Amino acid sequence: MSACRLIALAFVVDFSAGCARFGDEESTRASLLQMPEMTNTVAAARGSFASSDAWPSQTWWTGFASPELQRLITTALADNPDFKATAARLRQSQAMVDAQAAELYPTIDANVSFSAQRFSANSVQAKLAGENFRHMLINPLILRYHLDFWGRDAAALQSAVGRSLAVAAELADARLLLAATVAKAYFELLAASEKQDIAARIVAERQALLRFEQTRLATGLATDAPILQARIALANAEQGLAAAHSDVELNKNLLAALAGKGVDWGSAIVIEQDQVEQALTLPVDLPLHLLAHRPDISAARLHAEAAAEEIKVAETAFYPDVNLVAFTGLHSVSLSDVLLQGSSLAYAVGPSIEFPIFEGGRLRANLEYQQAAYDAAVERYNRSLVHAVQEVADALSRWRELDARLVAQRQSLADALAVEKLADSLHSHGLSDRAAPSLAKLEVYQQQFRLAALVGEQHKARINIIKALGGGYSDAKPAKQ
C-alpha cells in the first residue's frame, strides 16, 4: 500500500511539473540596453573643461562657498514633505524585507477553544440524538513550516530586497533632485535680485531723461515727440522693474516651499551676491562609469531585477506546495479529564501537500502578468538610460553655449563702458547735450542686465552638469556597461 501511495504521489508530481512548462517566453523577454555610445560627444566637450579623477561629491553644493545656500539645502532635506514621504517609503520597503524573510522560518502558535453542542433528537446520528457535549481543545504548541523545495520564498525575499534597494536609490535620486532644485532656485534669486537693482537704476536714469526733455520743451528747444518717447521708455523700464521684483518674490516663495516652510519664511533668505565659483571638471572615466553614478538608473535596474524574481515566484506556483504541520495538546469532551487524565493528550505531525491541478487559468495569468511587469521594468530602465545620456549631452552643450555667450557679453559690456566714458568726456567738454551720457549709461545698464541673466543661467547649467553626473551617488553593483 505504501508503494502504491508513492507511485501515486510521483504521478501527481510529474503531472504538476508537466503543467508548468513555460514555453519559449524567455526568448521574447525584453532585454537591458547596453551603454549608448557617447564617447565622441564627451570628447568634443572636454576642451571646455578640466579633467579630474573625482566625480561630484555628495555635498557638492559646499563648493559654492555660500553659507545661505548650504542652510537652504540642509533645511529642505530635513523638512521637505515630498522628500520625507520618499524616506517613509524606504522604511516601508525595509519592513517588507523583514516580513518576507520571516517566511523562511517556522511559525509556532498556541490555541485554546471551547464549544458546547447538542445534537437534535431527530438527528440522523441516532447514537448521539438528544445528547449534549462540551468540547475543549488546548493546543499550546502548533508548528507550521513551509518547505521551500522550489525556491519560492527565497525568490520572494530577493524580490523584496531588490525593491528596497531600488527605493533607497530613488531616495538618493530625490535627494539629488531636491538639492539641485533648491540650488537653481537660489541662483535664480540672486540673478533676479541683481536684475532688480539694475532695473531700478534704469528707471532712475529714464526719469532723469524725461525731466531733461521736459526742460527742453519748456525752453522751446524741443517738441512733444521726445517727451512722449521718454515717457514710453520710462513705462517700459518700470515694467521691467516690476517683473524683476516679482521674480525675486516668486523665487523666495519657491525656496520656502522647497524647504517645507510658509511663504513668510522666505523673506528672511539672505541674498549673497559674492559667490565663489567652483572649478567645473569632467571625470576622466566618463562615460565609462556613468551608470554607477546615476541613482535613477540604479533604481530602474533594481526594479527590473526584482521583477525577474517575481517571475520565479509565479513559476513555483505550478509545483506542489509542501508544508510541515505539527501540534500537541489536550482534547476532551470533559473539563475534568483535560486536567486530571493523561488520556486527553493529542498530537500529530506530518506534511501537507497541495497540488495545483485545475486553477481556471489563474496561475498562467499571474505568470504572464509578472512577465509583462518585468518587460515594463526593463523598458523603464532603458528609458532612464537613454534619458541619462541625453541629459549629460544637453548639459555639456548648454554649458559651452553659455560659456561662449558670456565671453561675448562681457566684451559688449566692456565696449559699452568705453562708450559711456567717451560720452562723459564729450559732454564735459561741451560737445554733446545731457542726453548723450544718459543714453550711454542706459546702454551699460542694459548690458549689465543681460550679463546678470547669463551668469544666473551659467550657475544653473553648472548644477545641471553636476546632477547629470549623479551628484555624488555611487552604486556598489552597477549594471554591466
Side-chain angles (χ1 to χ4, degrees):
M1 188 65 177
S2 177
C4 292
R5 290 178 178 175
L6 289 175
I7 293 172
L9 177 60
F11 174 79
V12 175
V13 171
D14 182 71
F15 175 80
S16 301
C19 293
R21 303 190 187 281
F22 307 117
D24 298 327
E25 292 92 343
E26 291 297 328
S27 61
T28 60
R29 294 275 70 80
S31 59
L32 300 176
L33 286 178
Q34 295 297 314
M35 178 67 187
E37 186 60 43
M38 60 178 301
T39 305
N40 294 338
T41 300
V42 174
R46 287 199 181 276
S48 303
F49 302 90
S51 295
S52 171
D53 292 332
W55 289 69
S57 68
Q58 289 191 340
T59 55
W60 49 266
W61 52 86
T62 60
F64 291 101
S66 170
E68 184 66 5
L69 177 59
Q70 295 178 38
R71 182 183 74 88
L72 290 171
I73 292 179
T74 301
T75 303
L77 293 177
D79 298 333
N80 182 271
D82 291 334
F83 186 69
K84 290 197 287 187
T86 305
R89 285 183 53 229
L90 176 59
R91 296 195 298 273
Q92 279 184 313
S93 67
Q94 291 169 340
M96 289 301 299
V97 171
D98 293 339
Q100 190 59 53
E103 297 293 330
L104 299 176
Y105 300 97
T107 62
I108 298 178
D109 302 313
N111 172 264
V112 177
S113 67
F114 172 78
S115 65
Q117 182 178 4
R118 180 185 185 278
F119 284 90
S120 169
N122 300 316
S123 172
V124 294
Q125 301 184 27
K127 291 184 178 182
L128 303 177
E131 295 292 336
N132 295 302
F133 291 93
R134 291 178 177 82
H135 192 201
M136 173 168 279
L137 303 177
I138 302 177
N139 296 316
L141 181 64
I142 303 174
L143 172 71
R144 297 182 181 87
Y145 181 46
H146 181 248
L147 301 178
D148 193 24
F149 288 133
W150 321 115
R152 184 189 73 181
D153 293 339
L157 176 59
Q158 287 299 317
S159 176
V161 170
R163 299 286 185 197
S164 182
L165 292 175
V167 175
E170 289 173 349
L171 180 62
D173 190 44
R175 178 181 184 272
L176 172 59
L177 180 60
L178 177 59
T181 303
V182 170
K184 287 192 286 187
Y186 183 66
F187 285 121
E188 185 70 26
L189 172 63
L190 298 186
S193 177
E194 185 174 358
K195 288 190 290 185
Q196 179 181 239
D197 293 340
I198 297 171
R201 294 198 293 270
I202 292 175
V203 168
E205 200 64 39
R206 287 295 181 186
Q207 289 172 340
L209 275 174
L210 178 59
R211 289 193 297 269
F212 174 72
E213 294 297 341
Q214 288 172 339
T215 301
R216 292 182 66 198
L217 178 64
T219 57
L221 298 177
T223 62
D224 290 337
I227 288 188
L228 295 176
Q229 292 175 349
R231 287 177 178 173
I232 293 172
L234 176 58
N236 291 336
E238 289 173 341
Q239 289 184 53
L241 177 58
H245 180 71
S246 176
D247 285 345
V248 170
E249 291 184 338
L250 291 175
N251 280 286
K252 285 186 175 182
N253 294 343
L254 173 59
L255 286 168
L258 290 171
K261 308 295 184 182
V263 292
D264 289 346
W265 185 86
S267 61
I269 294 176
V270 178
I271 297 176
E272 301 170 334
Q273 289 293 357
D274 295 330
Q275 299 294 318
V276 177
E277 292 193 8
Q278 60 177 345
L280 189 59
T281 61
L282 287 186
V284 294
D285 52 355
L286 177 72
L288 181 61
H289 292 161
L290 177 63
L291 301 191
H293 292 276
R294 291 282 303 214
D296 54 339
I297 294 179
S298 294
R301 175 182 58 80
L302 289 165
H303 276 302
E305 292 176 353
E309 295 296 332
E310 291 293 340
I311 292 179
K312 295 180 182 179
V313 174
E315 289 175 348
T316 61
F318 288 86
Y319 297 100
D321 191 48
V322 184
N323 288 275
L324 181 64
V325 181
F327 78 89
T328 182
L330 300 175
H331 299 181
S332 178
V333 295
S334 171
L335 299 181
S336 60
D337 290 346
V338 170
L339 301 176
L340 301 178
Q341 297 185 17
S343 59
S344 297
L345 176 66
Y347 62 86
V349 60
S352 172
I353 307 176
E354 296 182 6
F355 302 97
I357 297 176
F358 179 73
E359 297 286 344
R362 178 180 61 85
L363 299 183
R364 172 61 61 180
N366 181 55
L367 176 60
E368 292 176 352
Y369 174 84
Q370 297 300 341
Q371 289 171 339
Y374 171 77
D375 291 343
V378 168
E379 297 304 339
R380 284 192 291 270
Y381 169 85
N382 294 339
R383 178 194 63 194
S384 298
L385 180 56
V386 172
H387 173 72
V389 171
Q390 179 194 0
E391 190 175 13
V392 171
D394 289 350
L396 296 178
S397 178
R398 178 66 170 162
W399 175 268
R400 287 184 293 169
E401 174 209 344
L402 290 170
D403 196 37
R405 290 176 64 187
L406 276 168
V407 171
Q409 184 58 40
R410 288 189 174 101
Q411 182 60 51
S412 295
L413 176 58
D415 293 341
L417 288 169
V419 171
E420 180 190 20
K421 184 177 180 180
L422 179 60
D424 288 340
S425 177
L426 292 174
H427 179 65
S428 65
H429 288 83
L431 299 177
S432 66
D433 59 19
R434 176 67 184 84
S438 293
L439 292 174
K441 189 179 293 294
L442 283 171
E443 183 61 28
V444 170
Y445 291 156
Q446 293 291 346
Q447 297 302 327
Q448 289 175 339
F449 193 93
R450 295 190 184 99
L451 181 61
L454 285 176
V455 169
E457 290 298 318
Q458 189 184 49
H459 279 307
K460 292 192 291 183
R462 182 189 302 271
I463 295 167
N464 285 335
I465 291 177
I466 293 172
K467 178 179 176 295
L469 297 179
Y473 177 79
S474 182
D475 187 358
K477 184 188 173 185
K480 294 181 180 178
Q481 304 182 36

